[in-house]
Amino acid sequence: MARLNYLELPVRDTATAKAFYAAAFGWQFSDFGPSYAATTTGDTEIGFQADRAEATAAALAVIQVEDLEATEAAVRAAGGEITRAAFDFPGGRRFHFRDVAGHELAAMQADD
């Protein structure tokens, strides 16, 4: 079965984007020339949001984390903006945030 395993986000500056994600999530990057960098460490799932009131304007990458509150603090400290406070959903809790390049993403913690 085909699976989405990569999400590419446009940024103005790779150094700024790398610094944000390194600070917020501890990610490491490989540079592929002066204007492209990527992680090479994980898989990606995909979901479909049919509720127009809940849908984001663009694709929403969801990052699974172990500690939602610590992640929210790290996102804020790295310069991110919380766009939707933490909420429960079937399977866990998540919050939405905007990164330093203006992309909206979410961080989620699965139920134990």
Side-chain angles (χ1 to χ4, degrees):
M1 170 178 267
R3 290 188 54 178
L4 177 67
N5 68 354
Y6 197 84
L7 177 64
E8 186 172 279
L9 299 174
V11 298
R12 291 183 212 147
D13 175 70
T14 56
T16 301
K18 289 190 314 185
F20 172 82
Y21 285 98
F25 300 104
W27 291 352
Q28 296 179 344
F29 296 84
S30 296
D31 291 327
F32 297 96
S35 63
Y36 203 94
T39 61
T40 56
T41 60
D43 292 330
T44 303
E45 301 290 344
I46 189 168
F48 300 101
Q49 175 58 277
D51 184 341
R52 291 189 188 272
E54 297 291 322
T56 56
L60 180 71
V62 179
I63 302 163
Q64 186 168 351
V65 301
E66 291 187 25
D67 184 330
L68 196 64
E69 288 73 24
T71 299
E72 183 174 342
V75 166
R76 288 179 190 275
E81 171 193 356
I82 306 306
T83 58
R84 184 169 180 193
F87 63 95
D88 295 328
F89 68 95
R93 289 181 43 77
R94 79 180 194 202
F95 69 89
H96 293 197
F97 66 94
R98 197 170 312 284
D99 72 7
V100 294
H103 302 289
E104 187 172 6
L105 298 96
M108 65 84 64
Q109 181 177 343
D111 290 337
D112 291 328

